[in-house]
Amino acid sequence: MAFRIYDLTCEYMSAPLGLDEPRPRMSYKLASDEPECVQVARRLQLSLSEDFAAPVYDSGMVRTDETLHAEADLKLRPLTRYFFRITSRDDRGREASAVSFFETGFLGTAWRAKWITRPDDRKDDPVVPRFVRRFRLPEAPVRARLYITACGVYRAQINGQYAAPDLLAPGWTSYNKIHQYQTYDVTELLSAGQNELSALVGVGWFCGNLIGKNRRNVFGDRTALLCRLDMTFADGRTRRIVSDERFRWCESEVRLSEIYHGEDIDARVKARPLQPVALLDRGFSMLRGQQSAPVAPVEEIEPVALFTTPKGERVVDFGQNMVGFVRVRVKAPAGREIRLRHFEVLDRDGNCYFENYRTDRAVASYITDGGEDVFEALLTFYGFRYVCIEAFPGEPDLSAFTGVVIHSDLAQTNSFSCSHPLLNRLQSNILWGQKGNFVDIPTDCPQRDERLGWTGDTQVFCSTGCFNMASAGFYSKWIRDVVADQEEDGLIPHIVPNAFLKRGNGGACGWADCITIVPMTVAQRFDDLRLLREAWPAMKRWVAYMKNWGDDPDTYIGHFHFGDWLGQDGDTGTCKGATNDDLIACAFYALSARLTAQCAERLGKPRAAASYRRLFERIRAAFMREFVTPSGRLACSPRNQTAYVLALHFGLLEGAARSQAIDGLLASLKQSHDRLTTGFLGTPYLCETLAETGHIDNAFRLLVQEEFPSWLYSVKMCATTIWEHWDGIRPDGSFWSPSMNSYNHYAYGCIGDWMYRYVGGLRHEEDAPGWKRFAVSPTPGGGITSADLDFDSPRGRIGVHWKLTDGRMRISLSVPANTSADFTPAGAAEEPGLRITRNGKPVAFDGAPLPSGDYEIDYAFAEPAEK
Ligand code: BGC
């Protein structure tokens, strides 16, 4: 078709059910087989019926080139399906339209159901309860919706079939402030006659063990269920089943289930006596419909090897550090155990290494019932590459095991590869790190007794995360929890959802600054103003917190900080890099002030913007005063890469101080033989700072560095994910201390963003949010001679494929309909002989943005590719 509209979404989801957003936003993409396609007008209609015979909203054709976040000025009814039709008109007068739908959730109306739980004397029982309700129906309904949530994590079934593939529902939020519920279309699962609705409810994050050995009951002291099944029959009659005293509970086959410790399932446990439930006094005001894609099983991995270690342990290797669980198929007499202990790496002697899981048990134990058993995790997950088979009936066979990968089910939006095989493995590791740490919230790691929403890790990885997956809804959901968990004085906790029982655990620079960095990044990449509106008050309060701290409102000195966490230049054995905490804190204070000013600008608040810009200037002056000598040298010890990078990249240095810092940074790289010394806070900006100060060659040398410490060091050590420490496994095969050594910690994967922007050659433009216009300028370096990047932007697929051959740079570029590209021929020779064709026809290039179309670009490159 010549002009096409596709990929309709509502609140970043496709046909979502149970939306609790009073003004949901609808977005779409455009495609055209002819170039230079621009939308000139759009129409949005909403209707209760699919035929749109009587629309309840009609915007009429409105002149706009915007394709994202269309809103209807309409008060929505709760629990209602709205069809929406978008009609787009382009500048040639062609029209295209498409229909999708969303369904509203309760929108604050009453549930008319009760929270049910086990009686007090059983509330601490590790056996997972199954809540059950049986009922008869005269006929099968024509429409049925299950609205459901739990304190804990649940799996709901109707007549023995799962209501949805979702796992770990209702997801993890700061439950006592925002508690998600899910809406499932269960029409097909119900039938005439006897029906059964049931749900397993495990302790999950709500009341299971969380942080540290004996800590539990962080959000409440018992599991509970809340649900409502609304059914409509062919003649229009309705029936409702709600959670109340008519439910019963029984013991289930799940004898234990914990996020950290795994699951014990005894398949011999069949129907147990049904017992009365108790009611739980828990409100409804915190309930909110699913906000983003749920966690689900997304892919399966077959194991690559079964072997015996020197110690005699039987091990299955999945060949990939992954997050999810192992599905085991077995036929054995009743009462035999299968016991799998999960782990990430083998020690240097080739034996299982469990110590870095700390207090996590990470064991799946299954007892057979004598039939053909298939076991898998129901209410938990594991981070692992290997499992140690601690018990198995008979001789295990590889075909008995399948790795099931779970994560928040977001579309992967980036495919990147280049001529450097180790960088391709690095990209794979970054992506696997993202999968493993996108388990409903952005986590630090997925395997040990943390798996927490560490705010620092999240902000460090966010821009890479936005490239690789359609992450806007995922981050927005988490940011709502950050806002909800902010304390009265503006402090942002170290982890969100805040699972610390004590208040005041927060405010660390580069961690708490997630409240400015993450919304600004996401809003930029997805053109999301609403997220900025939601985060704005919290951003202001966080900046005010730093301002009010200590005696000097223009610095942020003397607070507790993690500093340049895991920087290589710290004392041996410590986690803290050597960079001065106060310097880093001041730099991030300045960054947050500047981002808050930019946020104010985007929200149309010029006075606030000016005031935060002034604050930034004052912090900059204070930084110069505190951390720069009169002659322009950084006045801190050591003067290291992170100190230089933050001062330069955050724009804190003036005059001679700036050029001295650039020289200092280059000298430091020379001294370290092109190896980085940076930790969590310096690393994300290191290559960028080098590129923007005109030293991209140095950035490339860091990128392709294979010696420790570097990104490719772990790749050379056969890592399949990003490690927490640059030296998680040392060259001699020894490990960093087990007290803090994850092999799936995505933070250093932040280099992805730089790689896509420079090697891939695709960059967002600050003044054109959501990739409305973008920059294209692939930059060969580091011996890389080609790269292929396909990015599904919110406005359609951008392709940048380049190859450097015989001194000529050849680029194939796809610019989606209704967008444009600022193209710069990086590294062009003096006489570049630039040739550009669009959809097969030559076009003249005058530096203006290239409109939509498929381009072939070709020019003479100034230097031959490095060897
Ligand atoms: C986590 C980190 C986190 C840090 C705070 C660790 O235990 O795994 O990634 O940011 O604590 O310093």
Side-chain angles (χ1 to χ4, degrees), residues 106 110 145 233 278 281 285 325 352 541 544 555 562 664 743 791 809 849:
F106 285 87
R145 292 290 178 275
F233 299 93
D281 184 16
S285 59
F325 50 82
C352 303
R541 282 205 299 273
T555 60
F562 297 109
Y743 295 98
F791 171 59
M809 186 70 173

Side-chain angles (χ1 to χ4, degrees), residues 639-641 644 659-669:
R639 278 191 290 273
N640 60 1
Q641 293 173 11
Y644 288 126
S659 49
Q660 289 204 38
I662 297 171
D663 292 347
L665 176 58
L666 296 176
S668 153
L669 286 170

Side-chain angles (χ1 to χ4, degrees), residues 358 443-445 447-448 450-458 494-495 508 511 560-563 565-566 575 680 724 739-742 745 747:
R358 308 199 305 207
T443 57
D444 57 335
C445 58
Q447 74 298 78
R448 69 174 178 228
E450 292 207 59
R451 318 186 192 189
L452 302 166
W454 280 98
T455 49
D457 307 47
T458 304
H494 298 319
I495 53 173
W511 269 252
F560 165 80
H561 297 294
F562 297 109
W565 190 246
L566 311 187
C575 283
F680 267 37
E724 178 171 22
S739 65
M740 182 78 79
N741 198 11
S742 144
H745 228 76

Side-chain angles (χ1 to χ4, degrees), residues 180 212 395 535 704:
Q180 290 195 133
E395 191 45 37
V704 299

Side-chain angles (χ1 to χ4, degrees), residues 351-426:
N351 295 311
C352 303
Y353 182 67
F354 302 116
E355 282 74 11
N356 65 328
Y357 280 56
R358 308 199 305 207
T359 66
D360 253 36
R361 189 189 71 151
V363 165
S365 160
Y366 303 126
I367 311 280
T368 55
D369 80 343
E372 293 228 16
D373 288 304
V374 179
F375 292 105
E376 57 183 44
L378 295 174
L379 302 159
T380 189
F381 65 100
Y382 310 85
F384 62 102
R385 170 174 167 169
Y386 304 93
V387 288
C388 174
I389 307 174
E390 295 187 334
F392 201 86
E395 191 45 37
D397 182 274
L398 258 197
S399 63
F401 306 95
T402 303
V404 180
V405 178
I406 71 160
H407 55 84
S408 287
D409 195 4
L410 307 166
Q412 189 181 319
T413 47
N414 181 24
S415 123
F416 168 83
S417 63
C418 67
S419 61
H420 196 303
L422 295 180
L423 289 180
N424 294 341
R425 184 69 231 190
L426 176 67

Side-chain angles (χ1 to χ4, degrees), residues 486-504:
Q486 184 174 36
E487 298 183 5
E488 293 77 41
D489 57 0
L491 176 134
I492 302 283
H494 298 319
I495 53 173
V496 173
N498 188 359
F500 292 123
L501 301 173
K502 235 178 46 214
R503 300 175 70 75

Side-chain angles (χ1 to χ4, degrees), residues 150-206:
C151 295
V153 287
Y154 73 87
R155 296 294 303 274
Q157 290 187 322
I158 289 187
N159 298 326
Q161 293 200 52
Y162 286 115
D166 299 15
L167 298 169
L168 304 167
W172 191 6
T173 51
S174 293
Y175 296 112
N176 296 324
K177 298 161 188 160
I178 301 171
H179 192 139
Q180 290 195 133
Y181 65 89
Q182 284 67 43
T183 303
Y184 298 127
D185 180 349
V186 292
T187 316
E188 301 302 319
L189 304 183
L190 292 155
S191 50
Q194 186 72 20
N195 287 272
E196 183 185 272
L197 162 62
S198 70
L200 287 171
V201 183
V203 288
W205 300 282
F206 189 88

